[in-house]
């Protein structure tokens, strides 16, 4: 039993090591944008406090809109979209 578990673990790691790294692709209104691999952004589900601790205060914040409230924080290279105080998305600014 232990040998089988060890064998399955080795296979799982080997398969995981062969998965290629790729950037996120986002299509908006027929346009395709690829997130550059070198730009670090927030993770989905992070709190506003955690984002501010990691990246500092944003350059600008939008007012909350709708129910649940949606807020955007603007950083130099990306925009963070929150629902309540949790990250929904982080979008890299093109340019």
């Amino acid at each position: 039993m232990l040998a089988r578990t060890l064998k399955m673990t080795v296979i799982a790691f080997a398969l995981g090591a062969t998965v290629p790294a790729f950037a996120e692709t986002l299509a908006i209104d027929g346009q395709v944008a690829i997130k550059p691999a070198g730009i670090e952004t927030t993770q989905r589900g992070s709190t506003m406090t955690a984002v501010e601790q990691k990246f500092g205060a944003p350059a600008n914040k939008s007012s909350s809109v709708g129910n649940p409230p949606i807020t955007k924080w603007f950083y130099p290279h990306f925009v963070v979209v929150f629902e309540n105080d949790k990250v929904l998305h982080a979008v890299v600014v093109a340019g």
Side-chain angles (χ1 to χ4, degrees):
M1 182 70 164
L2 180 60
R4 180 178 178 185
T5 302
L6 181 59
K7 183 178 179 181
M8 295 303 285
T9 302
V10 169
I11 290 171
F13 279 118
L15 290 174
T18 63
V19 175
F22 53 89
E24 248 181 276
T25 303
L26 176 66
I28 301 174
D29 294 330
Q31 297 178 344
V32 176
I34 298 174
K35 176 185 170 192
I39 297 178
E40 182 181 9
T41 60
T42 61
Q43 292 186 358
R44 185 179 176 104
S46 297
T47 64
M48 287 179 168
T49 302
V51 171
E52 195 159 11
Q53 286 176 349
K54 185 168 184 172
F55 296 100
N60 197 5
K61 295 180 182 180
S62 73
S63 299
S64 297
V65 176
N67 187 18
I70 302 297
T71 307
K72 291 185 235 175
W73 285 10
F74 299 87
Y75 287 90
H77 299 292
F78 61 94
V79 177
V80 183
V81 180
F82 294 93
E83 179 180 309
N84 292 310
D85 76 329
K86 302 281 194 240
V87 173
L88 282 179
H89 303 285
V91 180
V92 174
V93 177

